[in-house]
Amino acid sequence: SQKIEQNSEALNIQEGKTATLTCNYTNYSPAYLQWYRQDPGRGPVFLLLIRENEKEKRKERLKVTFDTTLKQSLFHITASQPADSATYLCALGGNAGNMLTFGGGTRLMVKP
Amino acid sequence: DAEITQSPRHKITETGRQVTLACHQTWNHNNMFWYRQDLGHGLRLIHYSYGVQDTNKGEVSDGYSVSRSNTEDLPLTLESAASSQTSVYFCASSDRTGEAYGYTFGSGTRLTVV
């Protein structure tokens, strides 16, 4: 069955460092992958999309890579700030209509 | 400004009762989705709709139903609430090219079944 894995343990880093979050998947051939941010008590907010034929995408301090051979996406936040503290979700799509399948999310804590 | 709203934000109900959660969007999006979010399971798809009069079952649809009579609304009904349906429910919408712009989520409804 399809499986999307994100580190369930929280990632704690120091302000100013680069945070790297991992999304691995199996039994899936997504046409694209999306990353979302979720704050406590709120719905997820879309951040970035990367397509299967793209290796890397950047948006301000965010960078996403997509390796379809390794079946992995890496999500980087450079020069991290305490305001970046949140849970980050990856989602895969494109195999069946417009539906997304989400990973469980990784909680990021940036300490000042 | 366009928005997607869910109501109520919090709901406590008794086992066996029928419950309806509302989702209303003013984005004029064709696609609408219902997910539930539980610790250890992430977001799981319950039902989805690609347009008026279209509804489809998702991964965890048992015990739930939806109807789409207009573009703006996709209410989620729990036919006979069970304790296993205690969860946070999120509604989302996207346009036809949702892959490029992602989903827009509501703020969620926390449902407790006692």
Side-chain angles (χ1 to χ4, degrees):
Chain A
S1 61
Q2 298 172 353
K3 197 171 183 181
I4 303 172
E5 290 185 339
Q6 295 185 255
N7 273 352
S8 57
E9 292 183 13
L11 176 64
N12 294 292
I13 65 166
Q14 206 66 35
E15 181 176 8
K17 300 293 186 183
T18 296
T20 299
L21 285 68
T22 304
C23 176
N24 295 298
Y25 59 92
T26 55
N27 297 323
Y28 205 108
S29 296
Y32 54 88
L33 186 149
Q34 298 181 356
W35 283 89
Y36 289 76
R37 168 184 173 139
Q38 186 175 23
D39 292 289
R42 310 292 294 176
V45 174
F46 172 70
L47 296 174
L48 273 174
L49 167 136
I50 186 166
R51 291 190 170 85
E52 60 179 336
N53 60 347
E54 297 174 319
K55 296 289 186 186
E56 182 179 298
K57 202 74 147 320
R58 291 175 186 262
K59 179 182 177 182
E60 297 171 353
R61 294 185 295 111
L62 308 180
K63 185 178 85 171
V64 173
T65 63
F66 193 11
D67 189 325
T68 55
T69 301
L70 290 178
K71 295 187 182 295
Q72 180 181 78
S73 175
L74 299 179
F75 177 81
H76 307 272
I77 305 175
T78 59
S80 60
Q81 304 165 1
D84 295 326
S85 298
T87 296
Y88 292 86
L89 308 171
C90 72
L92 277 59
N95 271 23
N98 190 230
M99 288 187 296
L100 289 177
T101 302
F102 284 84
T106 297
R107 186 177 176 199
L108 173 67
M109 299 285 290
V110 181
K111 298 182 179 178
Chain B
D1 286 349
E3 58 182 3
I4 179 167
T5 54
Q6 293 184 237
S7 61
R9 286 300 311 270
H10 302 272
K11 173 80 176 177
I12 300 175
T13 191
E14 294 179 343
T15 301
R17 294 223 181 229
Q18 183 181 79
V19 177
T20 297
L21 308 183
C23 176
H24 179 80
Q25 54 98 1
T26 57
W27 289 95
N28 199 33
H29 283 163
N30 289 301
N31 305 333
M32 295 185 73
F33 310 86
W34 273 104
Y35 286 85
R36 60 178 288 176
Q37 188 172 39
D38 306 284
L39 278 174
H41 288 283
L43 284 162
R44 291 183 292 173
L45 183 63
I46 305 171
H47 280 286
Y48 60 101
S49 168
Y50 288 149
V52 176
Q53 302 300 332
D54 176 74
T55 61
N56 306 279
K57 294 180 179 180
E59 176 190 359
V60 290
S61 61
D62 287 349
Y64 304 94
S65 63
V66 294
S67 60
R68 187 90 180 268
S69 59
N70 58 52
T71 300
E72 296 79 19
D73 299 288
L74 187 70
L76 177 71
T77 298
L78 285 68
E79 305 294 343
S80 177
S83 58
S84 59
Q85 295 177 309
T86 292
S87 186
V88 180
Y89 291 86
F90 287 101
C91 178
S93 70
S94 74
D95 64 11
R96 290 190 187 278
T97 56
E99 64 171 77
Y101 299 101
Y103 287 8
T104 302
F105 280 87
S107 294
T109 294
R110 182 174 294 276
L111 177 68
T112 303
V113 182
V114 299

